[in-house]
Amino acid sequence: MNSFDKISVGGEARTELHDLLNLTGAEISVNVLPAGAGVPFVHSHRQNEEIYFVTEGEGKAVIDGEQTDLKAGDWLRVSPSAKRQLSAAPDNALKYICIQVKANSLEGYTMSDAVV
Amino acid sequence: MNSFDKISVGGEARTELHDLLNLTGAEISVNVLPAGAGVPFVHSHRQNEEIYFVTEGEGKAVIDGEQTDLKAGDWLRVSPSAKRQLSAAPDNALKYICIQVKANSLEGYTMSDAVV
């Protein structure tokens, strides 16, 4: 494998990065939900923690029946077993990234994993 | 642990999300390098793959001696052992997120990990 891979992602409805970047520790999707649209199903995960980052726009998430508003700059962690569904605001698109990682997989990080 | 945690991140120089969001599979930092500034050291990692996402601005990364330009919308995967250093452009800040995950930790993902 190369030391690195790089791609540029524009405004596509959905781009999945795992294969494009040769990721081995995460899957990441870059998503645009048009105004008034929602993910058409509720889902949970077997093993994976999901982390959502709202890059533009606004919307909401319903997680285990609890609603939370989403706006640009928000970060959201969702436990694997939680039932989740995202939607854009009626009058504003929701642009977000979703990071999937295996729950409890991280060991050291930052100074305890870095070699300077 | 709660089903979810949410925070909002503004324009701080650096915000580390692991403890704020109770992450268990990743560490994520949200970073701003002012125009002309660079990370003041070269580093690599013992176990962790890093994924960089440029949210605004421009700059460059030098990875194992190879330079690659960075601009908003770029995604970059860096292997654990690669020696890396990021800097902002002389006349433009570089805003980016950095995701650390343990290399080779991901098992199923998306449809092979989801329960719909």
Side-chain angles (χ1 to χ4, degrees):
Chain A
M1 192 185 291
N2 295 331
S3 294
F4 69 92
D5 289 291
K6 188 180 79 167
I7 60 166
S8 188
V9 178
E12 300 84 358
R14 181 174 170 90
T15 306
E16 300 179 341
L17 303 186
H18 182 277
D19 293 353
L20 296 172
L21 285 178
N22 297 306
L23 302 181
T24 71
E27 164 61 316
I28 300 173
S29 61
V30 184
N31 304 273
V32 180
L33 277 175
V39 175
F41 53 85
V42 175
H43 82 283
S44 61
H45 278 271
R46 292 186 169 83
Q47 296 197 115
N48 290 349
E49 178 172 276
E50 283 193 328
I51 305 142
Y52 294 88
F53 169 43
V54 180
T55 54
E56 286 184 59
E58 55 186 326
K60 66 178 181 183
V62 177
I63 304 166
D64 284 342
E66 182 178 346
Q67 180 174 319
T68 187
D69 292 335
L70 298 175
K71 64 180 190 310
D74 282 352
W75 287 85
L76 176 70
R77 177 197 60 78
V78 184
S79 296
S81 65
K83 294 178 173 63
R84 74 212 66 183
Q85 188 169 30
L86 268 70
S87 55
D91 56 353
N92 201 344
L94 180 68
K95 299 186 181 184
Y96 66 96
I97 67 172
C98 179
I99 302 162
Q100 283 180 62
V101 291
K102 187 181 174 187
N104 302 307
S105 63
L106 190 69
E107 297 176 4
Y109 59 95
T110 311
M111 291 320 293
S112 63
D113 192 65
V115 180
V116 177
Chain B
M1 190 185 293
N2 295 330
S3 295
F4 70 92
D5 289 291
K6 188 180 79 167
I7 61 167
S8 188
V9 178
E12 301 84 357
R14 182 175 169 91
T15 305
E16 299 179 342
L17 303 186
H18 182 276
D19 293 354
L20 297 172
L21 284 178
N22 296 306
L23 303 181
T24 72
E27 164 63 315
I28 300 173
S29 60
V30 183
N31 304 273
V32 181
L33 277 175
V39 175
F41 52 85
V42 175
H43 82 285
S44 61
H45 278 271
R46 291 186 170 83
Q47 295 196 118
N48 290 349
E49 178 171 276
E50 283 192 328
I51 305 142
Y52 294 88
F53 170 43
V54 180
T55 54
E56 285 183 58
E58 53 185 328
K60 66 178 181 184
V62 178
I63 304 165
D64 284 343
E66 183 178 346
Q67 180 174 318
T68 187
D69 292 335
L70 298 175
K71 63 181 191 307
D74 283 351
W75 287 85
L76 176 70
R77 177 197 60 79
V78 183
S79 296
S81 65
K83 294 179 173 62
R84 74 212 69 182
Q85 188 170 29
L86 268 69
S87 54
D91 56 352
N92 200 344
L94 180 69
K95 299 186 180 184
Y96 67 96
I97 67 172
C98 178
I99 303 162
Q100 282 180 63
V101 291
K102 186 180 174 186
N104 302 307
S105 63
L106 190 70
E107 297 176 4
Y109 61 94
T110 311
M111 292 319 294
S112 62
D113 192 66
V115 180
V116 177

